[in-house]
Amino acid sequence: MAKSKTDATFEQDLEALEAIVGALEEGGLSLDDALKQFESGITLARRCEKALSEAEKKIEILVK
């Protein structure tokens, strides 16, 4: 069964975020497309931050 966007791994989200950053840095997108990419990037960045935070909490529990 294929993974949905919400089932993406941290690594997949990070890779997609890096692709968006690259596209935005190139500067060839229209304003509308750039805004859509930026919005997607924010969503991915938040998911990555959440995954990192959850991993950090697990590590703290294991270390105690």
Side-chain angles (χ1 to χ4, degrees), residues 17 20 24 33-43:
L17 181 57
I20 289 171
L24 290 172
D33 288 340
L35 287 172
K36 287 177 185 175
Q37 290 293 312
F38 182 78
E39 183 178 0
S40 295
I42 292 296
T43 299

Side-chain angles (χ1 to χ4, degrees), residues 9-27 29 37-48 52:
T9 65
F10 172 81
E11 291 80 7
Q12 291 168 329
D13 285 345
L14 188 58
E15 186 176 311
L17 181 57
E18 289 172 346
I20 289 171
V21 169
L24 290 172
E25 287 179 342
E26 286 178 16
L29 300 172
Q37 290 293 312
F38 182 78
E39 183 178 0
S40 295
I42 292 296
T43 299
L44 288 167
R46 287 181 179 152
R47 283 202 326 228
C48 287
L52 288 173

